[in-house]
């Protein structure tokens, strides 16, 4: 399954995420993104990953935790809809999730291990889907959403946060550069 979803398959507020996802084999896109995220984060020290570019902004550790939590939630939605379950699925409050988690108390290595485990599970799920599964639709956060839209939203969401990490965190004049 490599075909991008139409604009009728997801809420309009996800359009910016969709624009970030290139054409290609969906499984290959998930695997490549996992390599990119791993490469981006594995060299960070805990001090660097504890950086936030503003007083009311998440730390890098919190961004990674948010990516992992969001993937868990969206993959559950994807699974539920792919299996034909018509139960309306709730939204979630990302800030509340980050606030309740102790991502800043975790190491970069443990956050990255969680991310990789969740991504491996998502890839296995995506690989298991057949053509009919991809086009199924269900209700998530009060919007009709398709299985393939959820997969692309996952990819676009992470690309969005990669951009923020590069533009606002790593490019910040106050980012703690490793001075060895």
């Amino acid at each position: 399954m490599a075909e991008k979803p139409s604009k009728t398959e997801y809420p309009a507020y996800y359009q910016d995420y969709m624009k970030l996802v290139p054409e290609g084999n969906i499984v290959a896109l998930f695997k490549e993104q996992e390599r990119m995220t791993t490469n981006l984060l594995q060299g960070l020290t805990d001090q660097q990953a504890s950086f936030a570019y503003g007083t009311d902004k998440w730390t890098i550790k919190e961004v990674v935790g948010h990516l992992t939590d969001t993937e868990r939630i969206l993959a559950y939605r994807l699974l539920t809809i792919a299996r034909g379950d018509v139960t309306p699925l709730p939204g979630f409050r990302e800030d509340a999730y980050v606030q309740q988690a102790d991502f800043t108390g975790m190491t970069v290595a443990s956050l990255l291990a969680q991310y990789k485990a969740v991504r491996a599970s998502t890839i296995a799920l995506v690989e298991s889907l057949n053509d009919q599964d991809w086009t199924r639709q269900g209700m998530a956060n009060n919007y009709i959403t398709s299985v393939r839209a959820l997969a692309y939203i996952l990819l676009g969401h992470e690309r969005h946060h990669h951009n923020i990490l590069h533009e606002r965190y790593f490019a910040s004049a106050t980012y703690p550069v490793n001075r060895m």
Side-chain angles (χ1 to χ4, degrees):
M1 207 305 287
E3 186 177 325
K4 277 192 171 185
S6 72
K7 290 181 181 182
T8 63
E9 295 179 51
Y10 56 87
Y13 58 82
Y14 285 127
Q15 183 58 39
D16 288 341
Y17 290 172
M18 293 296 177
K19 291 177 186 174
L20 296 174
V21 183
E23 296 292 333
N25 176 283
I26 193 80
V27 173
L29 291 171
F30 272 106
K31 289 178 178 180
E32 176 57 27
Q33 188 173 69
E34 192 239 338
R35 282 189 292 277
M36 289 171 54
T37 299
T38 299
N39 290 339
L40 183 67
L41 301 172
Q42 70 185 355
L44 296 182
T45 66
D46 285 327
Q47 177 193 9
Q48 289 170 318
S50 296
F51 174 75
Y53 67 90
T55 56
D56 61 340
K57 300 300 180 184
W58 294 341
T59 65
I60 294 170
K61 287 181 178 184
E62 289 171 325
V63 171
V64 176
H66 163 70
L67 288 173
T68 304
D69 278 356
T70 300
E71 184 146 339
R72 286 176 169 124
I73 291 164
L74 294 182
Y76 172 72
R77 290 177 182 176
L78 190 153
L79 170 68
T80 302
I81 295 169
R83 297 299 189 252
D85 188 336
V86 296
T87 304
L89 300 167
F92 75 104
R93 298 177 327 168
E94 60 190 29
D95 287 320
Y97 274 60
V98 170
Q99 187 177 17
Q100 289 300 311
D102 184 21
F103 296 131
T104 57
M106 297 179 186
T107 64
V108 174
S110 68
L111 287 164
L112 193 53
Q114 281 192 52
Y115 163 80
K116 291 171 84 169
V118 170
R119 179 50 61 99
S121 178
T122 300
I123 290 169
L125 173 60
V126 167
E127 287 177 323
S128 75
L129 300 177
N130 65 41
D131 290 342
Q132 290 177 331
D133 295 334
W134 285 108
T135 57
R136 284 199 181 97
Q137 294 187 352
M139 186 71 70
N141 196 24
N142 299 314
Y143 291 95
I144 297 292
T145 307
S146 72
V147 169
R148 68 179 167 188
L150 286 164
Y152 276 87
I153 290 165
L154 272 166
L155 290 165
H157 175 256
E158 192 160 318
R159 284 179 176 265
H160 164 76
H161 282 289
H162 276 217
N163 292 343
I164 290 173
L165 285 168
H166 285 292
E167 295 165 7
R168 299 184 190 162
Y169 288 79
F170 302 139
S172 171
T174 59
Y175 176 71
V177 177
N178 191 2
R179 303 183 198 282
M180 296 178 119

